[in-house]
Every structure is written in structure tokens, then in C-alpha cells.
Amino acid sequence: MLTDRQKVILRMVVDDYVVSAEPIGSRTISKHPNLGLSAATIRNEMADLEEMGYLEQPHASAGRIPSQQGYRYYVDNLVNSDSKISVDDFTMIKSLFTEKIDEMERVAQQTAVVLSGLTQYTGLVLGPQVYDTMLKNLQIIPLNDHSAVIIVVTSTGQVQNRTVTFPEGIAMDEVERLVGIVNRRLQGTPMYKMRSRMLEEIMHEVARSVGDYEEAIRLLDQIAPTIGLENEAKVYLGGATNMLLQPEFQDVQKAQPVLSWLEHRDRVVEALKADGRAEQRTSVRIGIENDVETLQDCSLITATYHVSGVPVGVIGVVGPTRMEYGRVIRLLRHVSLGLSELYSKFYNGS
Amino acid sequence: MLTDRQKVILRMVVDDYVVSAEPIGSRTISKHPNLGLSAATIRNEMADLEEMGYLEQPHASAGRIPSQQGYRYYVDNLVNSDSKISVDDFTMIKSLFTEKIDEMERVAQQTAVVLSGLTQYTGLVLGPQVYDTMLKNLQIIPLNDHSAVIIVVTSTGQVQNRTVTFPEGIAMDEVERLVGIVNRRLQGTPMYKMRSRMLEEIMHEVARSVGDYEEAIRLLDQIAPTIGLENEAKVYLGGATNMLLQPEFQDVQKAQPVLSWLEHRDRVVEALKADGRAEQRTSVRIGIENDVETLQDCSLITATYHVSGVPVGVIGVVGPTRMEYGRVIRLLRHVSLGLSELYSKFYNGS
DNA sequence: ATTAGCACTCGACGCATTTGAGTGCTAACA
DNA sequence: TGTTAGCACTCAAATGCGTCGAGTGCTAAT
């Protein structure tokens, strides 16, 4: 357990280090106003904090920097994440939500960019995944004799499409009949049940109406991935190269793996989803707390956003462990609330 | 005009420098087999080549490196861009086209990744823009009382969609009537004429059938951007962070602007389009030949791909001016041929 | 418990020296 | 006349060395 004074000192070290990126010495701390302590006293306390694992020394005659455990303690006990965000931040974010953006995709992208712009870290947005969407409509538009566009519309207005080529021996009208069947029997079916329902309920009816059973199955197989669109979450990155401005990424060897990791969307999606499933509204992963090896010197802070109280997406920020935890957490909370509002309006029909 | 011997030497300098990234000295060249010349002779020739502007010296006692003019001469006269690509490259690319990828979007993305993987530069793909597509179908799917999804399908099977919210006082059936009019009157209209045709031909008819003229215009305005989808080309990047492996990007200050430039898709699209309009099938922009200031130490090589002989898209590679011009040009030619074939099949209905 | 004082540590910085790759020039040679 | 060997010269990079100073730990005094 830390004494009050140790907490104060730890907080000061973190706060100072986060802005300066240089080890903090005892003198620096002792010069802080409203802290009538000499450097020697601070030294003693710092030595204790180091022994307990909250601080560390890059080398013997240098100042102290927070350890990952130190950051963790800071985030759990010292940071004030409830106060308001700064006026500048507020106006910046406000423009994001008031600007009339009718394409929801652009909102997500723009959110990532704004998050990065405000923090100089990388902004992440995991697009909304609404789980209880249902099939609204299945359309087929013939292109020529043997190919057509299949269009799926969900109850929330998401649209997915795919061009399919028919196997030899299947005529257009058979396909159209097939689509008719799907529409008749499966409208209103939740999307996540789609695939199984298609197999269970439709197959026999298909067999009855379509000439060639074998071919019908082949065709359904081709359409299935589109129809049963797994509502696959898309991730949007913003300002990944902003991170190159951070001192810890001045060394390309350090920066390359992280940027490279960010390039693979699927990995990023996975990392964000993991946090999205957590109970809390905001999650902070510091260094080795990240399952991803590449991010062992980075922190990932995420927040979920909601539609009708249900979490549907995640926003987040990746940066070096030396991060403005307080500010970033407040920013993310604020933005996630805004997004929740926006998406709720959108999905509940504005 | 260069003597044959000077050409040989220039080619050697470029070839050596491209792989070593270190200034090339006279001794190195003289040691080349099938070139019975002493270092001293090479020195004289090199001095001449420098005087003519094809080589330069980083500092007095260093070897020579090619100047941008030197690269230009190399590309124009010395590179052999017609020979075949290597077997390794061939198999790598082959898997790209034989793998059955039915989503054309993924083909483009994957092409960019493969280009980068093969070169360690950044791969670029400007998605196909087919200019003579026509309106195939306009669909409207109501979501609730005051919003619906508008879906546009073109003759080539491209699908674009948008959620629209109706102004107060416009009922769903009026919207449906409007869509019907558009379908009846404008099916088969080339997409690029869409917007003007909509205004010219439809307005008066709309006014007749829809109750409120003012509102009808407002509504059409809202739909217009989707219908008249400018066939906006999408750009796909691959392996931007691979460039951080290049020696010239070991300095973050050098790398950051370039990576940052690549982050803004619109700028990249513009640069690629510029090259796509050029006459030649492949274009090489070396250093300052790039209009973009950020790329003054980079080279951009592009090649167009075609559908039915008409150029519809661009692929390319961005890297440092010290680039394997020969190999990259051959790669791009090969890949662009493959893409042309693939897209031609796709658009002409396979 | 706090603090002043002091010896000690160690990276950063500046400066001189060395090293070596590479050049330009000159004179000899075919 | 073109080519080459030889040599003095140049300069970046590497190496070594002393200095500086921020910061520490320890001790003794308050």
C-alpha cells in the first residue's frame, strides 16, 4: 500500500514523464509548488517506489520513469477520468458530430482521424455490429445470361452485394424462383441464424421447385456467404503515421513492427473485439497486458459505444506506454457517447 | 551522347547501387568480369559521367551514385524491360490470379499487397473505372416511414447504396413513384450523363406526378450523388510499412512525410490518375519528376490495365529513387496484363 | 522524519586522432 | 592517343579520451 505522499509523487512522475519523455529527477519533483519537500526526501521516496516496482531507472545516474506497473497503478488509482475534456478537445469533437455526414462509413473513418489528430497516437474505430438485424429483402438483378448481382438488405439498412455466376445448366428464371423462395420464407429472420435456417427450412422446398437439386445446392452455397453476411465488423484507422512523431518511435526498428501490425486489419479487429466483449465501458491495456507481442511497448485504450444500451462497436487509441492516460480516457468516453447517440438515432430511424 | 563504354559503366553503377545502397567506387566497377579496364580508366569515365550530370558524389572522397538524370537515362536507354520476370516472381503472381477470388475488391487489395511483398516498396492499385457503364436498375427498399435504402446497379454489376431520409411531407409512395420514373426514363443511360439527364428530362415529369414540386427536388438532390455515382475510383495500398526496411527510410524524418502522404487516399488517387491518363502503358516518375513535393526523393512507377483495350485502372509502386527499375517495370507489366485479363472476363460476363 | 552535504556514477558531448576507401593528377607505357 | 600504375590528397566514419553535469545513495546534522 502506498502512502498518500508516495501517491502524489508517483502521479507527478507520471504526469511529468508523459509530457517530457525524459527521466524525472528528484530535484524536478521537489520544485513543484504545493509540495514542501526537499530533493533528498523525494529521493528516499523514489527509492522506495522503485523497490516496490512502480518506478524504474534507465541507468544508475538517471532520473526515474514509471514502470508498466506504475502506469497501471496510476490508471487504477490516480488518474481522474471523470472530469470534463478540455474546451479545445470539445470543439474539435463537436464538429465531428454536428457536421452532417450521411454516410455512416465516413463517420467511423473521420472519428479515427480526429482521435489521432487530438492525441498524436493512432485512432481506431471498429464499425458497428448490430447483432439483431434481420433480413429485410433479397434482390437479384440479372446482368446477362449467366451472371447476376445479389443484393441483401437488412432491417437496419445495411446493404451487401455480390456478383454470382451461375453453374452451367441453371437458367435465370430458376435463380429468380430461388430468390423468391428465400424472400418468402426467410424475411425477418435474424441474420446470424440465416445460414442454418437456409439449410434446414429451404432445401426441400428448393428441391421441389428447381429442376436440378445438385445445382441448386451449389448455387445456394455461392449465395450463402453474402446472405449470411456475418455482419463482419470493419475497422478504420486514422493517423497511424502520427505516431512517428512520438520520441519512442524515432527509431525505425521500433516503429516498423507496430505500424506493420496496424496494417493487418484482421489482427486489429481481433484485438478490438477482445476489448469490446469486456464488461467495462473503457479498457486500458498497458504494455505486456496486450496479448499481442508486437504491442508490448504500447498501450491500447478502448471504449465501447452503444445502440439502445447494447454495445455495438469499439473505438480506441494505440500509442506508446508513455501515454496521456487521463486525457485519452476522457476523450474516448466523450466520443463514444457521441457515437452512441448518433448511431442510435440512425438505427432507430431518425 | 554517351559512348558505349560509358553506357556500360553507368548501367553497372546503377545496378550495383540499387542493391548495395552505398556509393560505388572505381575499383568495384573495374573488378567486374568481362570488362578489362583498370580502376584508373573507370575513374576518368566516371569523372566525365559526373560532369555530364549522370552521376554524383556524396562527398569528395566517396564513390559515385546515380543522379536522378542518371536514373532517367538508365530507364530510357539501358534497362531491359522486355525480358521475362523471374520464376520466383512469376509463381508468386500466378497464385494471385489463379486463386479463386470472387470479390473483385479483394483482388485489387491483394494485388497491392503482392506488389509490395515482391518489391519491399509500397504497392498501389487504382480500382477499375469503367466509363461506359450504364444504369441497370434503381431499387428502393423502405426501412420505415421516413427512410429507405436506395440501391443503384450498373450494367457492369457495380452496386452503390445510400440510406436516405425523406423530408417531412413526402410519403413513401411518392418516393416509389419517383424511383419508378427514374427507372423508366433513365435505364440504359451512361452513368456519367446521369446527373444532367436527371435534371433535364425528369424534372417536369416529376413535378406532374409528385405532389410537392419543391420537396421532389430536395429529394432528388439527396438521391443524386448515389445515382450519379461518379464511379469514384478507389485506391488500395499494400505494405506501406515495408518501405521502412529501405535504408533511405531509416531516418524517421525522411519516412514520415511519405507514409503520411500515402495515408491520404485522395492525393494518391490523383497522382495515379495523372499517370493513367498518359499515353504509355507504363510510366516512370523519378524524384522531382513527381509533381508531389513529398515524393521528390521517391520514384513512382505505374502501369495501366485495360478492359477491351480501354484503360480502366492503374497499378503502381512507390519507393526510393534507388529502385530496381527493370524488375519493377517488368513486374508491373506482367501484373497489369493479368489484371486486364481478369477484369475483362469479369465485365464481359465470364 | 527531514534535509544539507558530498562522493560517486554514468551517459552525453566535444574534440583530436586514426583509418581506409576513394579520388585526381601525373608520368610512363603500348 | 588511350590506358594504366603510382602517389599524394581528401574526407567521412570510427575510435579514443577527457570533461561536464544531472542525478543518485549515503551519512551526519537538525
Side-chain angles (χ1 to χ4, degrees):
Chain A
M1 198 48 210
L2 297 188
T3 67
D4 280 354
R5 198 167 69 183
Q6 285 169 330
K7 289 182 191 175
V8 171
I9 293 173
L10 178 55
R11 171 190 270 134
M12 282 177 173
V13 172
V14 173
D15 285 342
D16 276 17
Y17 181 64
V18 159
V19 309
S20 74
E22 308 254 294
I24 308 298
S26 53
R27 249 181 81 79
T28 317
I29 298 293
S30 78
K31 271 196 287 219
H32 256 98
N34 12 343
L35 181 76
L37 289 176
S38 79
T41 311
I42 307 290
R43 276 204 286 283
N44 288 328
E45 296 286 29
M46 277 177 145
D48 290 349
L49 282 168
E50 183 174 358
E51 211 169 328
M52 290 187 280
Y54 296 106
L55 295 181
E56 48 195 34
Q57 262 183 314
H59 59 88
S61 73
R64 303 304 207 291
I65 63 175
S67 68
Q68 296 195 356
Q69 181 189 336
Y71 284 127
R72 172 48 63 195
Y73 189 92
Y74 176 88
V75 168
D76 289 342
N77 305 290
L78 305 176
V79 84
N80 96 358
S81 48
D82 297 326
S83 66
K84 291 223 171 148
I85 62 177
S86 79
V87 179
D88 287 354
D89 293 351
F90 185 83
T91 52
M92 195 75 183
I93 293 173
K94 197 174 171 189
S95 70
L96 179 65
F97 292 124
T98 53
E99 194 187 330
K100 187 177 155 124
I101 317 182
D102 34 24
E103 291 165 69
M104 283 296 124
E105 192 160 9
R106 296 231 12 223
V107 174
Q109 179 60 59
Q110 200 52 30
T111 301
V113 171
V114 167
L115 282 177
S116 177
L118 288 171
T119 59
Q120 303 284 59
Y121 310 129
T122 299
L124 306 173
V125 174
L126 189 66
Q129 284 191 286
V130 180
Y131 289 99
D132 59 352
T133 55
M134 298 161 295
L135 178 66
K136 186 89 193 183
N137 203 297
L138 183 63
Q139 298 267 336
I140 181 161
I141 317 278
L143 291 175
N144 52 39
D145 285 348
H146 44 290
S147 67
V149 182
I150 304 278
I151 300 176
V152 181
V153 185
T154 71
S155 54
T156 54
Q158 283 182 291
V159 177
Q160 187 109 338
N161 71 281
R162 161 169 304 221
T163 306
V164 294
T165 310
F166 314 135
E168 294 289 332
I170 289 223
M172 183 62 70
D173 59 336
E174 293 184 5
V175 180
E176 274 171 0
R177 213 176 313 146
L178 182 58
V179 169
I181 295 170
V182 173
N183 260 330
R184 212 173 325 120
R185 304 276 313 228
L186 294 184
Q187 254 175 29
T189 306
M191 294 308 289
Y192 67 90
K193 286 191 189 160
M194 213 60 198
R195 206 174 282 217
S196 55
R197 288 285 300 273
M198 250 174 56
L199 287 173
E200 285 169 23
E201 294 207 16
I202 292 205
M203 272 315 188
H204 63 280
E205 182 161 0
V206 168
R208 238 187 302 133
S209 355
V210 176
D212 188 336
Y213 186 82
E214 285 291 311
E215 292 295 350
I217 292 182
R218 289 243 307 271
L219 189 62
L220 265 184
D221 260 4
Q222 207 179 350
I223 306 178
T226 307
I227 299 184
L229 73 126
E230 268 123 41
N231 206 342
E232 208 172 72
K234 265 184 156 178
V235 72
Y236 303 87
L237 298 199
T241 56
N242 276 349
M243 279 210 292
L244 290 175
L245 303 172
Q246 299 290 340
E248 25 277 278
F249 291 119
Q250 286 309 93
D251 181 358
V252 171
Q253 311 306 323
K254 291 275 197 313
Q256 203 271 344
V258 177
L259 291 180
S260 179
W261 182 82
L262 287 169
E263 246 185 1
H264 295 267
R265 302 297 162 105
D266 45 345
R267 302 189 211 148
V268 179
V269 169
E270 208 177 330
L272 288 179
K273 269 188 179 163
D275 278 1
R277 278 191 289 272
E279 287 298 305
Q280 337 86 323
R281 306 231 346 203
T282 55
S283 145
V284 179
R285 290 178 180 274
I286 299 165
I288 52 167
E289 297 167 11
N290 289 297
D291 305 328
V292 185
E293 178 132 20
T294 320
L295 299 184
Q296 304 254 313
D297 291 318
C298 294
S299 284
L300 170 62
I301 308 189
T302 58
T304 53
Y305 58 91
H306 302 69
V307 168
S308 320
V310 182
V312 293
V314 182
I315 61 177
V317 154
V318 179
T321 44
R322 178 187 64 80
M323 190 183 266
E324 293 184 84
Y325 291 96
R327 175 156 168 263
V328 171
I329 292 174
R330 292 197 297 273
L331 277 177
L332 287 178
R333 293 221 171 133
H334 185 85
V335 172
S336 71
L337 282 180
L339 270 190
S340 298
E341 217 173 292
L342 192 65
Y343 277 113
S344 293
K345 249 191 221 160
F346 181 73
Y347 282 126
N348 298 331
S350 66
Chain B
M1 196 50 211
L2 297 189
T3 66
D4 281 353
R5 198 166 71 184
Q6 283 169 331
K7 288 183 190 173
V8 171
I9 293 174
L10 178 56
R11 170 190 272 135
M12 282 178 173
V13 172
V14 172
D15 286 341
D16 277 17
Y17 181 64
V18 159
V19 308
S20 73
E22 308 254 292
I24 308 298
S26 53
R27 250 181 78 81
T28 317
I29 297 293
S30 79
K31 273 196 288 222
H32 256 96
N34 14 341
L35 181 78
L37 288 176
S38 79
T41 311
I42 307 290
R43 276 204 286 282
N44 288 329
E45 296 286 29
M46 279 176 143
D48 290 349
L49 282 168
E50 183 173 359
E51 210 169 330
M52 291 186 279
Y54 296 107
L55 295 180
E56 48 196 34
Q57 261 184 316
H59 60 89
S61 73
R64 303 303 209 291
I65 63 175
S67 67
Q68 295 196 355
Q69 182 190 334
Y71 283 126
R72 171 47 63 196
Y73 189 90
Y74 177 88
V75 169
D76 288 343
N77 304 291
L78 306 176
V79 84
N80 94 358
S81 48
D82 298 324
S83 67
K84 292 223 170 151
I85 63 176
S86 80
V87 179
D88 287 355
D89 292 351
F90 185 83
T91 52
M92 194 76 183
I93 294 173
K94 197 174 171 188
S95 70
L96 178 65
F97 293 123
T98 53
E99 194 186 329
K100 187 175 154 123
I101 316 182
D102 33 25
E103 292 164 68
M104 283 296 124
E105 192 160 10
R106 296 230 13 222
V107 174
Q109 179 61 58
Q110 199 53 30
T111 301
V113 171
V114 167
L115 281 177
S116 177
L118 288 171
T119 58
Q120 303 283 57
Y121 312 129
T122 299
L124 306 173
V125 173
L126 189 66
Q129 286 190 285
V130 180
Y131 290 99
D132 59 351
T133 55
M134 300 161 293
L135 178 66
K136 185 92 191 180
N137 203 298
L138 183 63
Q139 298 267 337
I140 181 160
I141 318 278
L143 289 175
N144 53 38
D145 284 349
H146 44 291
S147 66
V149 182
I150 303 278
I151 300 175
V152 182
V153 184
T154 71
S155 54
T156 55
Q158 282 183 292
V159 177
Q160 188 110 336
N161 70 280
R162 164 169 300 220
T163 306
V164 295
T165 309
F166 313 135
E168 294 288 333
I170 288 225
M172 183 62 70
D173 59 336
E174 292 184 4
V175 178
E176 275 171 0
R177 212 177 313 147
L178 183 57
V179 169
I181 296 170
V182 172
N183 260 330
R184 212 171 326 121
R185 304 278 312 229
L186 294 185
Q187 255 174 28
T189 305
M191 295 308 289
Y192 67 91
K193 286 191 190 159
M194 214 61 199
R195 204 174 284 215
S196 54
R197 288 285 301 275
M198 251 174 57
L199 288 173
E200 285 170 20
E201 295 208 14
I202 293 206
M203 272 316 190
H204 63 280
E205 181 160 0
V206 168
R208 239 188 301 133
S209 359
V210 175
D212 188 336
Y213 187 83
E214 286 291 313
E215 292 294 349
I217 292 181
R218 286 242 309 270
L219 189 61
L220 265 184
D221 260 3
Q222 207 177 349
I223 306 178
T226 307
I227 299 183
L229 73 127
E230 270 123 42
N231 206 343
E232 208 171 72
K234 264 185 159 177
V235 72
Y236 303 86
L237 298 199
T241 56
N242 275 348
M243 279 210 293
L244 292 176
L245 303 172
Q246 299 289 341
E248 24 276 281
F249 292 119
Q250 286 310 92
D251 181 359
V252 172
Q253 312 306 323
K254 290 275 196 312
Q256 204 270 344
V258 177
L259 290 181
S260 179
W261 182 81
L262 287 170
E263 244 183 3
H264 295 267
R265 302 296 162 104
D266 46 344
R267 302 188 210 148
V268 179
V269 169
E270 207 177 332
L272 288 180
K273 269 189 181 163
D275 279 2
R277 277 191 289 272
E279 287 298 306
Q280 336 86 325
R281 304 229 350 201
T282 55
S283 146
V284 179
R285 292 180 178 271
I286 300 165
I288 52 167
E289 296 168 12
N290 288 298
D291 305 329
V292 185
E293 179 132 20
T294 320
L295 299 185
Q296 303 254 312
D297 291 317
C298 293
S299 283
L300 170 62
I301 308 189
T302 58
T304 52
Y305 58 92
H306 302 69
V307 169
S308 320
V310 181
V312 294
V314 183
I315 62 177
V317 154
V318 180
T321 45
R322 178 186 63 81
M323 189 182 267
E324 293 184 82
Y325 291 97
R327 175 157 168 262
V328 170
I329 292 174
R330 291 196 298 272
L331 278 177
L332 287 178
R333 292 221 172 133
H334 185 85
V335 173
S336 70
L337 281 180
L339 270 189
S340 298
E341 219 172 292
L342 192 66
Y343 277 113
S344 292
K345 250 191 221 157
F346 182 73
Y347 283 128
N348 298 331
S350 66

